[in-house]
Amino acid sequence: MLSLSGKNALVTGIANNRSIAWGIAQQLHAAGANIGVTYLPDEKGRFEKKVREVAEEIHPAFYVPCDVQNEEQIEATFATVAEKWGKLDILIHCLAFADKEGLSGDFTAIPREAFNRSLEVSTYSLSRLARSAKPLMTEGGSIITLTYLGGVKVIPNYNLMGVAKAGLEMSVRYLASELGPANIRVNGISAGPIRTLASSAVGGILDMIRLVEETAPLRRTVTQTEVGNAAAFLCSDLASGITGQILYVDAGYEIMGV
């Protein structure tokens, strides 16, 4: 019943084969979607090379550089979408960043520059990409972002990212309200801790995973594929009545008090 055949999906945030964004891209492709991929450009082209190596098996329609702090690259990204496909059905936002000083130590010691940069990349970028996606979602669409429990509860060594994720989750609600009349749905997935390149920056990530495995009702954490399955569902017509929601895909850990 779940089919994304003929749907065009732009996926951001793939870094390597452990990325949650990669798990999502795989499941969207398996459901029949056409995939376009962005990557973070760097001077030596290392990120592009890695993303191409990882994503080759799903045959993306295009790869495009997109640093969300660069307006010209954002505009060029959606110009490519318009040129290649003419319309966009799905936008996957898997972008987050915090400097080291934003993830440890006293919260009051976080520098202003680190605070602003983290919220620009991790939070504002969802609204900014949605702004460019909206005119291309002529037949309605689905926008999905990734969040984490640290956006609603204090998590050790998460600090600044907790504030960024809290803002991201509220952005989901405001965007859902704005874009709903155009039949564009906006939802977030709050995934349990998974070993990824991004999560490796969070101190004690392995301890967090062990705690989830010991405490969650399913007595385990989740996989990239499980998050990808949830994303595919939210992007499909099976979820046509769901918007503005944060779906927890965390083996049930969020419900536990201790």
Side-chain angles (χ1 to χ4, degrees), residues 82-165:
E83 177 186 351
K84 297 289 186 180
W85 289 332
K87 71 179 182 71
L88 182 65
D89 302 291
I90 297 167
L91 172 63
I92 304 297
H93 176 274
C94 300
L95 303 170
F97 176 82
D99 291 309
K100 288 183 179 180
E101 58 262 47
L103 295 174
S104 61
D106 293 336
F107 189 79
T108 54
I110 297 173
R112 183 188 302 269
E113 182 179 350
F115 197 103
N116 291 343
R117 186 180 182 192
S118 180
L119 265 69
E120 180 180 3
V121 174
S122 309
T123 309
Y124 173 73
S125 63
L126 174 63
S127 299
R128 178 61 190 88
L129 295 183
R131 184 201 310 170
S132 290
K134 180 180 178 180
L136 294 172
M137 291 184 162
T138 53
E139 300 176 7
S142 178
I143 299 175
I144 304 293
T145 190
L146 287 180
T147 183
Y148 175 59
L149 183 63
V152 294
K153 297 181 181 179
V154 174
I155 301 292
N157 300 313
Y158 206 60
N159 282 19
L160 178 53
M161 280 308 304
V163 174
K165 292 300 188 184

Side-chain angles (χ1 to χ4, degrees), residues 2 60 65 159 185 201 224 256 258:
L2 197 162
N159 282 19
R185 298 180 295 106
Q224 288 90 336
M256 304 301 292
V258 294

